[in-house]
Amino acid sequence: FFFRPAGLTMLRANDFWDKEKGAPLLRRNAEFLPKGEPLPAELADRVAAWPGLCGADAEVDPPLEPSAPDEAADRIFLRDAERTFADEGHRQRMIGLLGRVWPLTKDYHQGLGYIASLLLLLFDEETAFRMLLRIGRDDKYSPGYWHAAPDAYVRDAMVYARLAEEREPEVAALLQQACLVPEAYASKWLIGLCVHVLPFRALFDYVEAFLEHGHAFLFRFSLALLRRTKEKLLAFKPTDVNLILEVLRLDQCQYGDELEAESGWFSSLVAEAKEVELEAEQLQALRAE
């Protein structure tokens, strides 16, 4: 069974690509989403299954109590929309969606904007809204992440650090010597779900795995990333802080889209992450400490 959104998605608009030429959100599309054409049938079926993976193919229960964002939030929503879309109409749709989600936390983290913008490409606003509520509410996912100072994220960043010490002690030692705390870089994978990080082919695999497996996949990806980049990281000195961060964030200056076209580098990384062994009991115990 596939959930088919009833409303018009951004990508279905005939003029979408003309309006969004050069949009920041699409910089890592790498020709994955076809311009001016419908999604290929296989990809359309995959995406149509996403709401069902997270339980968003049903009505929101309980509904959110309406609460208007404050002026500071409105300003941040506008700035993030301007950093995401080129078209004013699309920016307003993003701002409207963020405003609907606002009562969930009465706070905001930029990672929410990243996820919301991706979902708006693919789903109508109502479906995107229900998916965001599932992600922001259900313990399977990442409740508590979408705060300006998210305690839940700080907890999970510490869990990631503990797992890194256990699985990749040499890399963990380098990061400690470089005085790099996980909170400084892991939000790219944990809160932002790798939007603006992975080329779209790998990004869709990543989001799909997260919706299916929940927060456990985020930790698996973190460990797979350390293992994949270990050789490169250990060639740096602790004083090479900027270079270390570029690698951990998968910045395009270190890992360009051509790697995906040539060897499937990013997609294979996500595939490896799915195979990382991580017991639910261990993860639960670390989160409880």
Side-chain angles (χ1 to χ4, degrees):
F1 171 74
F2 294 135
F3 175 79
R4 297 291 182 181
L8 182 66
T9 71
M10 287 187 183
L11 280 177
R12 289 181 182 175
N14 293 331
D15 56 356
F16 172 80
W17 290 100
D18 291 333
K19 290 182 174 180
E20 292 299 339
K21 186 177 181 180
L25 176 61
L26 300 169
R27 283 177 185 160
R28 302 214 76 166
N29 179 42
E31 302 182 0
F32 178 65
L33 298 176
K35 296 181 180 179
E37 301 175 17
L39 293 181
E42 182 179 354
L43 177 59
D45 285 345
R46 282 180 59 194
V47 169
W50 286 8
L53 289 178
C54 63
D57 49 351
E59 293 296 325
V60 174
D61 185 33
L64 285 184
E65 291 292 330
S67 176
D70 55 37
E71 290 184 10
D74 283 333
R75 289 194 296 270
I76 296 171
F77 293 171
L78 175 60
R79 287 201 298 271
D80 279 0
E82 290 172 344
R83 288 190 284 248
T84 303
F85 291 111
D87 176 68
E88 182 60 28
H90 294 154
R91 292 171 177 172
Q92 289 303 318
R93 287 176 68 175
M94 177 176 169
I95 291 168
L97 178 57
L98 295 178
R100 288 189 65 185
V101 178
W102 168 262
L104 182 65
T105 60
K106 295 184 174 63
D107 204 349
Y108 179 69
H109 189 286
Q110 191 175 46
L112 167 58
Y114 289 177
I115 302 167
S117 62
L118 178 69
L119 295 181
L120 280 174
L121 288 182
L122 305 165
F123 300 99
D124 61 89
E125 183 185 311
E126 184 61 30
T127 305
F129 172 67
R130 291 205 296 263
M131 293 178 73
L132 290 172
L133 285 196
R134 288 296 186 187
I135 294 169
R137 269 181 172 171
D138 291 3
D139 289 340
K140 176 180 177 180
Y141 298 110
S142 41
Y145 273 20
W146 297 335
H147 290 267
D151 291 339
Y153 164 65
V154 173
R155 174 204 64 203
D156 284 352
M158 294 173 65
V159 170
Y160 148 73
R162 289 282 303 279
L163 290 169
E165 290 171 4
E166 175 189 304
R167 305 288 182 96
E168 299 293 346
E170 293 176 286
V171 175
L174 171 68
L175 299 180
Q176 289 172 357
Q177 291 164 16
C179 298
L180 281 174
V181 294
E183 300 93 299
Y185 57 86
S187 63
K188 295 282 187 179
W189 331 313
L190 299 183
I191 306 182
L193 297 187
C194 282
V195 178
H196 299 290
V197 174
L198 294 175
F200 271 31
R201 182 179 302 279
L203 175 64
F204 277 50
D205 292 343
Y206 186 100
V207 172
E208 191 170 270
F210 170 70
L211 293 175
E212 182 174 357
H213 302 290
H215 62 256
F217 173 74
L218 304 181
F219 294 101
R220 291 189 173 101
F221 178 82
S222 302
L223 294 172
L225 175 61
L226 292 186
R227 185 170 60 193
R228 175 70 74 90
T229 59
K230 177 178 179 178
E231 183 177 351
K232 194 165 192 172
L233 287 169
L234 294 181
F236 296 133
K237 301 185 294 292
T239 52
D240 296 326
V241 174
N242 288 338
L243 292 173
I244 293 170
L245 283 173
E246 287 175 359
V247 170
L248 290 171
R249 295 185 309 227
L250 296 179
D251 284 359
Q252 282 187 275
C253 60
Q254 292 282 348
Y255 297 97
D257 292 345
E258 70 277 0
L259 286 173
E260 182 67 16
E262 293 167 359
S263 64
W265 193 93
F266 298 94
S267 295
S268 64
L269 172 60
V270 176
E272 288 171 13
K274 296 177 187 178
E275 302 303 319
V276 170
E277 293 187 7
L278 181 60
E279 295 295 332
E281 293 78 10
Q282 181 188 16
L283 193 54
Q284 185 176 358
L286 289 172
R287 288 179 121 198
E289 288 182 1

mmCIF file of all heavy atoms in Angstrom, residues 198-216:
data_model
loop_
_atom_site.group_PDB
_atom_site.id
_atom_site.type_symbol
_atom_site.label_atom_id
_atom_site.label_comp_id
_atom_site.label_asym_id
_atom_site.label_seq_id
_atom_site.Cartn_x
_atom_site.Cartn_y
_atom_site.Cartn_z
ATOM 1 N N LEU A 198 24.487 15.194 1.863
ATOM 2 C CA LEU A 198 24.601 14.099 0.904
ATOM 3 C C LEU A 198 24.015 14.491 -0.457
ATOM 4 O O LEU A 198 23.001 15.203 -0.517
ATOM 5 C CB LEU A 198 23.847 12.873 1.410
ATOM 6 C CG LEU A 198 24.368 12.190 2.674
ATOM 7 C CD1 LEU A 198 23.413 11.075 3.084
ATOM 8 C CD2 LEU A 198 25.771 11.656 2.477
ATOM 9 N N PRO A 199 24.612 14.031 -1.556
ATOM 10 C CA PRO A 199 23.924 14.146 -2.846
ATOM 11 C C PRO A 199 22.569 13.448 -2.769
ATOM 12 O O PRO A 199 22.385 12.493 -2.004
ATOM 13 C CB PRO A 199 24.874 13.408 -3.807
ATOM 14 C CG PRO A 199 26.200 13.424 -3.144
ATOM 15 C CD PRO A 199 25.920 13.366 -1.668
ATOM 16 N N PHE A 200 21.624 13.927 -3.562
ATOM 17 C CA PHE A 200 20.236 13.495 -3.390
ATOM 18 C C PHE A 200 20.047 11.987 -3.507
ATOM 19 O O PHE A 200 19.193 11.424 -2.820
ATOM 20 C CB PHE A 200 19.340 14.217 -4.401
ATOM 21 C CG PHE A 200 18.801 15.530 -3.888
ATOM 22 C CD1 PHE A 200 19.523 16.300 -2.990
ATOM 23 C CD2 PHE A 200 17.564 16.003 -4.308
ATOM 24 C CE1 PHE A 200 19.035 17.512 -2.518
ATOM 25 C CE2 PHE A 200 17.054 17.210 -3.846
ATOM 26 C CZ PHE A 200 17.787 17.958 -2.949
ATOM 27 N N ARG A 201 20.778 11.318 -4.381
ATOM 28 C CA ARG A 201 20.593 9.865 -4.506
ATOM 29 C C ARG A 201 20.827 9.186 -3.151
ATOM 30 O O ARG A 201 20.027 8.364 -2.702
ATOM 31 C CB ARG A 201 21.540 9.290 -5.556
ATOM 32 C CG ARG A 201 21.360 7.782 -5.773
ATOM 33 C CD ARG A 201 22.307 7.282 -6.851
ATOM 34 N NE ARG A 201 22.109 7.981 -8.106
ATOM 35 C CZ ARG A 201 21.151 7.702 -8.983
ATOM 36 N NH1 ARG A 201 20.300 6.713 -8.730
ATOM 37 N NH2 ARG A 201 21.041 8.395 -10.101
ATOM 38 N N ALA A 202 21.929 9.537 -2.498
ATOM 39 C CA ALA A 202 22.236 8.968 -1.181
ATOM 40 C C ALA A 202 21.327 9.552 -0.103
ATOM 41 O O ALA A 202 20.958 8.856 0.853
ATOM 42 C CB ALA A 202 23.704 9.214 -0.834
ATOM 43 N N LEU A 203 20.958 10.824 -0.239
ATOM 44 C CA LEU A 203 20.086 11.461 0.752
ATOM 45 C C LEU A 203 18.740 10.754 0.840
ATOM 46 O O LEU A 203 18.215 10.531 1.938
ATOM 47 C CB LEU A 203 19.878 12.939 0.394
ATOM 48 C CG LEU A 203 18.885 13.701 1.273
ATOM 49 C CD1 LEU A 203 19.379 13.777 2.707
ATOM 50 C CD2 LEU A 203 18.643 15.108 0.706
ATOM 51 N N PHE A 204 18.181 10.391 -0.300
ATOM 52 C CA PHE A 204 16.891 9.701 -0.281
ATOM 53 C C PHE A 204 17.026 8.344 0.399
ATOM 54 O O PHE A 204 16.124 7.916 1.122
ATOM 55 C CB PHE A 204 16.338 9.564 -1.705
ATOM 56 C CG PHE A 204 15.615 10.792 -2.198
ATOM 57 C CD1 PHE A 204 16.194 12.054 -2.107
ATOM 58 C CD2 PHE A 204 14.351 10.701 -2.742
ATOM 59 C CE1 PHE A 204 15.525 13.194 -2.554
ATOM 60 C CE2 PHE A 204 13.671 11.824 -3.188
ATOM 61 C CZ PHE A 204 14.258 13.071 -3.098
ATOM 62 N N ASP A 205 18.141 7.651 0.181
ATOM 63 C CA ASP A 205 18.381 6.387 0.887
ATOM 64 C C ASP A 205 18.464 6.621 2.387
ATOM 65 O O ASP A 205 17.940 5.842 3.190
ATOM 66 C CB ASP A 205 19.686 5.748 0.406
ATOM 67 C CG ASP A 205 19.619 5.261 -1.033
ATOM 68 O OD1 ASP A 205 18.505 5.115 -1.579
ATOM 69 O OD2 ASP A 205 20.702 5.040 -1.630
ATOM 70 N N TYR A 206 19.142 7.712 2.761
ATOM 71 C CA TYR A 206 19.343 8.046 4.178
ATOM 72 C C TYR A 206 18.008 8.341 4.861
ATOM 73 O O TYR A 206 17.711 7.778 5.931
ATOM 74 C CB TYR A 206 20.271 9.260 4.269
ATOM 75 C CG TYR A 206 20.683 9.646 5.668
ATOM 76 C CD1 TYR A 206 21.915 9.277 6.173
ATOM 77 C CD2 TYR A 206 19.862 10.424 6.482
ATOM 78 C CE1 TYR A 206 22.314 9.641 7.459
ATOM 79 C CE2 TYR A 206 20.241 10.788 7.758
ATOM 80 C CZ TYR A 206 21.472 10.397 8.239
ATOM 81 O OH TYR A 206 21.858 10.753 9.500
ATOM 82 N N VAL A 207 17.222 9.211 4.268
ATOM 83 C CA VAL A 207 15.933 9.585 4.870
ATOM 84 C C VAL A 207 15.017 8.370 4.953
ATOM 85 O O VAL A 207 14.330 8.153 5.963
ATOM 86 C CB VAL A 207 15.280 10.726 4.066
ATOM 87 C CG1 VAL A 207 13.857 10.997 4.565
ATOM 88 C CG2 VAL A 207 16.125 11.994 4.155
ATOM 89 N N GLU A 208 15.010 7.572 3.913
ATOM 90 C CA GLU A 208 14.182 6.364 3.916
ATOM 91 C C GLU A 208 14.581 5.415 5.041
ATOM 92 O O GLU A 208 13.723 4.863 5.748
ATOM 93 C CB GLU A 208 14.314 5.673 2.557
ATOM 94 C CG GLU A 208 13.337 4.554 2.305
ATOM 95 C CD GLU A 208 13.396 4.128 0.844
ATOM 96 O OE1 GLU A 208 12.645 4.698 0.029
ATOM 97 O OE2 GLU A 208 14.199 3.228 0.522
ATOM 98 N N ALA A 209 15.897 5.228 5.232
ATOM 99 C CA ALA A 209 16.379 4.353 6.312
ATOM 100 C C ALA A 209 16.016 4.921 7.675
ATOM 101 O O ALA A 209 15.655 4.176 8.597
ATOM 102 C CB ALA A 209 17.888 4.170 6.196
ATOM 103 N N PHE A 210 16.090 6.236 7.821
ATOM 104 C CA PHE A 210 15.706 6.869 9.088
ATOM 105 C C PHE A 210 14.228 6.664 9.367
ATOM 106 O O PHE A 210 13.832 6.315 10.493
ATOM 107 C CB PHE A 210 16.036 8.359 9.046
ATOM 108 C CG PHE A 210 15.471 9.149 10.190
ATOM 109 C CD1 PHE A 210 15.972 9.000 11.480
ATOM 110 C CD2 PHE A 210 14.430 10.043 9.986
ATOM 111 C CE1 PHE A 210 15.444 9.715 12.544
ATOM 112 C CE2 PHE A 210 13.891 10.773 11.041
ATOM 113 C CZ PHE A 210 14.403 10.607 12.324
ATOM 114 N N LEU A 211 13.391 6.863 8.353
ATOM 115 C CA LEU A 211 11.951 6.688 8.559
ATOM 116 C C LEU A 211 11.608 5.243 8.904
ATOM 117 O O LEU A 211 10.691 4.980 9.684
ATOM 118 C CB LEU A 211 11.188 7.125 7.298
ATOM 119 C CG LEU A 211 11.251 8.615 6.969
ATOM 120 C CD1 LEU A 211 10.566 8.895 5.644
ATOM 121 C CD2 LEU A 211 10.642 9.465 8.071
ATOM 122 N N GLU A 212 12.361 4.304 8.353
ATOM 123 C CA GLU A 212 12.093 2.892 8.613
ATOM 124 C C GLU A 212 12.646 2.445 9.965
ATOM 125 O O GLU A 212 11.970 1.725 10.715
ATOM 126 C CB GLU A 212 12.693 2.034 7.506
ATOM 127 C CG GLU A 212 12.407 0.550 7.677
ATOM 128 C CD GLU A 212 12.877 -0.292 6.507
ATOM 129 O OE1 GLU A 212 13.382 0.292 5.512
ATOM 130 O OE2 GLU A 212 12.742 -1.532 6.574
ATOM 131 N N HIS A 213 13.861 2.865 10.297
ATOM 132 C CA HIS A 213 14.559 2.330 11.462
ATOM 133 C C HIS A 213 14.655 3.311 12.633
ATOM 134 O O HIS A 213 15.058 2.909 13.732
ATOM 135 C CB HIS A 213 15.965 1.868 11.073
ATOM 136 C CG HIS A 213 15.964 0.827 10.004
ATOM 137 N ND1 HIS A 213 15.525 -0.458 10.203
ATOM 138 C CD2 HIS A 213 16.343 0.894 8.699
ATOM 139 C CE1 HIS A 213 15.638 -1.153 9.082
ATOM 140 N NE2 HIS A 213 16.124 -0.355 8.154
ATOM 141 N N GLY A 214 14.349 4.580 12.414
ATOM 142 C CA GLY A 214 14.363 5.546 13.497
ATOM 143 C C GLY A 214 15.754 6.012 13.879
ATOM 144 O O GLY A 214 16.711 5.903 13.107
ATOM 145 N N HIS A 215 15.873 6.538 15.110
ATOM 146 C CA HIS A 215 17.120 7.179 15.523
ATOM 147 C C HIS A 215 18.298 6.219 15.550
ATOM 148 O O HIS A 215 19.449 6.644 15.437
ATOM 149 C CB HIS A 215 16.948 7.851 16.894
ATOM 150 C CG HIS A 215 16.616 6.899 18.003
ATOM 151 N ND1 HIS A 215 15.352 6.780 18.524
ATOM 152 C CD2 HIS A 215 17.386 6.023 18.704
ATOM 153 C CE1 HIS A 215 15.358 5.889 19.493
ATOM 154 N NE2 HIS A 215 16.579 5.402 19.618
ATOM 155 N N ALA A 216 18.044 4.923 15.686
ATOM 156 C CA ALA A 216 19.148 3.963 15.703
ATOM 157 C C ALA A 216 19.966 4.053 14.420
ATOM 158 O O ALA A 216 21.200 3.886 14.448
ATOM 159 C CB ALA A 216 18.621 2.542 15.889
#
